[in-house]
Amino acid sequence: MLKKHKSKVFASVLIAIIGVGFGVIPYFSVASIINNLVDNNTDIYNYLPYIFAILVGFLGSVLFHEVSTIISHNLAYRIIEDKRKLLADKLSRLSMGDVEKKSSGQWSQFMVETLDKMEKPIAHVIPEVIANIIIPIVLIVIIFVLDWRIGIANLLTIPLGLLFSMLMMRGYEAKSKRYQEASKAMNTTMVEYVNGIKVIKAFNKSASSFGKFKETVNENKKAMLDWYLSVCFSMTATMETIPATMIFVLPASIYFFMNGSIEIGTLVICVLLSYASYKPLIKAMSHLETITNIKIILEEINKVMDIPDLKRGKTTKNIGSYDVEFRNVTFAYNKSKNVLNGISFNANENELTAIVGNSGGGKSTIAKLLAGFWNVNSGEILIGKNDLNDMPLKQNMELVTYVSQENFLFNKTILENLKIAKEDASMSEIQKACEKASCHDFIMSLPNGYETIVGESGANLSGGEKQRIAIARSFLKNSPIVLLDEATAYSDPDNESVIQESINNLIENKTVIMIAHRLSTIVNANKIIVVDNGSIIEQGSHKELLELNGKYKEMWDIYTESKEIEVI
């Protein structure tokens, strides 16, 4: 992480060392003042340089610390930014199966909170720990030069402090990791709880009755208390014992002075430097928890970066046509039972190919495989005779527009959501796309028009409005292949007709594959494919399938009967 930022790391550490060094100047000045007082020097002007040096020491310490902190924080935020971009790019290269192994709450917690925890180690630990370790070493060396006996007395608290420190570190990493995992689980469940608040309220359930939430909160409390209670005594003992140098230094210094083996000036400076020597070290030790946590954070980052990418070719293909062919395709999620069993079909350019069948039969899986969400286990998916596995994922996504029943909108303006499809789109292009998607008029009726914030997941808009904006976004993308995955499933009758008109505009002169549960929307399809339990059991036009008197005829009869019941 730090290789390309060596100069900033060096500058931050060097300035931090200078700052800590300035913080020691007042001790030398105070020692000089005391010596002058002992010598009965009453000239105030003799003390002014020392007073000025104390002021310089304090100001220099603050100033250099701030400059070092600014540099290190700037570095930390740049590294976190780079890591977030790197991980976001990594997510775009993973299969949806790998992405969906974690919930949205877990990914949110990882990408936001976990990466934010890198700030403290980079911004504080690197410059401050190094500086606060070097300065005590220098001070201890000075004390030894002045009087080696006081130097030894100054070191006598270290063994006891290290003993307490070893007791503190016993099981420290395991307990810290347990707390980190418990905290992550609680945050993830919190997101799930907030997302499901409508259901919880609808069934009159309180937070305490939401069992999973209650369990994770309790486990977080237990993990935190277990961790802190196990180290609180030894941590306090360590922090108090190591700097308690006066216990040995003062008696030794007084004894040496009384037998005449040390001068008062040397005694004073040694006592003050002894008092100052371990304060920086204790400050460095206060970052012990952060140093332990960074290992856990880096392990989590590496786990994500080590997930294999969705394997695709690296050379962009020349696409002669936009015919789609599934050739003996088999697929299973996470190596479980096959969802698709050797299916084969063609979807021709400038034609509408519809896919119908019972829920769970594999219809949406067909669309998602073509959209590039997964690689097939066996067989081939071809676009213009080119295997998807041989082309870059980016080209695959450029060729295909996927419109589902639950299109996501970001908590931004309508304009920003539309520009996701084409960043450099002009306002004229955007308005034209929205007119084709039958959403320009309702957007203009909003108080802020295209600058209206849609809310989280588009919460400020109705389902039909969100769907039309998603379709407008697809117009802007203008891909040659369009996948419609039950795009009108959740719309009411009024919205359905508007959305259907928008879809009719979208699919002109394109290769269109439509997954539909309302059979009336696909009676004019060039080809209808009937899928059942992961296999294609019938293919043909609406008329041809009715004449087969098979599964499609059965579905059509049930559909038309239900429509009659609705009318009655």
Side-chain angles (χ1 to χ4, degrees), residues 25-26 29 33 47-60:
I25 291 175
S29 297
I33 290 171
Y47 295 95
L48 291 179
Y50 303 120
I51 294 170
F52 180 73
I54 291 171
L55 180 62
V56 169
F58 281 125
L59 291 178

Side-chain angles (χ1 to χ4, degrees), residues 333-367:
Y333 296 103
N334 300 321
K335 298 180 181 179
S336 56
K337 179 184 175 183
N338 283 349
V339 179
L340 300 178
N341 301 297
I343 67 167
S344 299
F345 70 89
N346 294 309
N348 297 325
E349 188 175 359
N350 298 322
E351 289 186 2
L352 170 59
T353 301
I355 302 176
V356 299
N358 294 331
S359 179
K363 304 186 300 299
S364 293
T365 301
I366 292 172

Side-chain angles (χ1 to χ4, degrees), residues 205 216 244 252 314 458 549:
K205 299 292 183 182
T216 55
K314 300 189 181 299
N549 203 28

Side-chain angles (χ1 to χ4, degrees), residues 236-348:
T236 303
T238 302
M239 297 300 185
E240 295 299 326
T241 301
I242 291 179
T245 55
M246 293 299 102
I247 294 174
F248 298 105
V249 169
L250 270 179
S253 300
I254 293 170
Y255 173 76
F256 298 144
F257 177 73
M258 290 179 70
N259 66 23
S261 62
I262 188 172
E263 294 181 358
I264 186 67
T266 305
L267 181 150
V268 170
I269 190 66
C270 284
V271 169
L272 286 174
L273 291 184
S274 176
Y275 177 75
S277 59
Y278 292 114
K279 279 198 169 184
L281 187 60
I282 292 302
K283 191 172 181 181
M285 290 179 68
S286 68
H287 292 293
L288 186 63
E289 177 189 341
T290 307
I291 295 169
T292 304
N293 287 343
I294 190 64
K295 182 181 178 183
I296 298 170
I297 294 167
L298 292 175
E299 283 176 358
E300 288 190 49
I301 292 172
N302 290 334
K303 279 180 184 177
V304 174
M305 295 304 298
D306 289 341
I307 299 173
D309 291 352
L310 194 66
K311 292 183 180 179
R312 289 298 176 91
K314 300 189 181 299
T315 305
T316 302
K317 301 296 180 182
N318 293 318
I319 308 298
S321 72
Y322 299 108
D323 294 334
V324 171
E325 180 182 358
F326 275 60
R327 189 180 290 171
N328 200 30
V329 170
T330 297
F331 179 74
Y333 296 103
N334 300 321
K335 298 180 181 179
S336 56
K337 179 184 175 183
N338 283 349
V339 179
L340 300 178
N341 301 297
I343 67 167
S344 299
F345 70 89
N346 294 309
N348 297 325

Side-chain angles (χ1 to χ4, degrees), residues 331-529:
F331 179 74
Y333 296 103
N334 300 321
K335 298 180 181 179
S336 56
K337 179 184 175 183
N338 283 349
V339 179
L340 300 178
N341 301 297
I343 67 167
S344 299
F345 70 89
N346 294 309
N348 297 325
E349 188 175 359
N350 298 322
E351 289 186 2
L352 170 59
T353 301
I355 302 176
V356 299
N358 294 331
S359 179
K363 304 186 300 299
S364 293
T365 301
I366 292 172
K368 289 173 181 176
L369 287 173
L370 180 55
F373 291 178
W374 289 276
N375 281 340
V376 299
N377 298 133
S378 64
E380 297 174 306
I381 300 176
L382 308 173
I383 296 179
K385 305 300 181 183
N386 292 283
D387 192 334
L388 287 191
N389 285 349
D390 294 335
M391 68 175 64
L393 185 60
K394 183 180 178 183
Q395 184 181 18
N396 183 177
M397 292 189 289
E398 287 172 351
L399 290 171
V400 178
T401 292
Y402 178 64
V403 183
S404 74
Q405 55 193 324
E406 295 179 343
N407 280 284
F408 185 83
L409 297 182
F410 294 92
N411 189 16
K412 297 183 176 184
T413 65
I414 291 174
L415 183 62
E416 288 172 314
N417 271 284
L418 290 166
K419 282 195 170 186
I420 288 170
K422 187 179 180 182
E423 290 184 5
D424 60 348
S426 66
M427 202 62 216
S428 174
E429 286 180 278
I430 289 169
Q431 289 182 1
K432 188 175 180 181
C434 289
E435 285 168 1
K436 286 184 177 181
S438 305
C439 61
H440 174 71
D441 290 341
F442 97 73
I443 292 173
M444 294 307 295
S445 69
L446 298 171
N448 296 314
Y450 282 88
E451 296 299 329
T452 301
I453 301 290
V454 302
E456 189 173 351
S457 300
N460 297 339
L461 304 175
S462 70
E465 289 169 342
K466 286 192 288 186
Q467 193 69 8
R468 280 181 272 166
I469 289 173
I471 293 172
R473 197 159 57 185
S474 302
F475 273 114
L476 281 173
K477 186 178 179 184
N478 195 29
S479 298
I481 299 169
V482 177
L483 304 176
L484 301 168
D485 189 354
E486 299 191 356
T488 64
Y490 294 154
S491 59
D492 54 58
D494 292 334
N495 266 316
E496 182 183 1
S497 60
V498 175
I499 292 172
Q500 191 60 52
E501 184 181 349
S502 304
I503 289 172
N504 291 339
N505 292 329
L506 175 65
I507 64 180
E508 287 181 5
N509 303 317
K510 297 181 185 295
T511 305
V512 182
I513 297 176
M514 177 186 286
I515 296 166
H517 74 292
R518 293 178 180 173
L519 300 186
S520 59
T521 61
I522 49 98
V523 291
N524 295 318
N526 300 90
K527 182 189 294 180
I528 299 172
I529 297 169

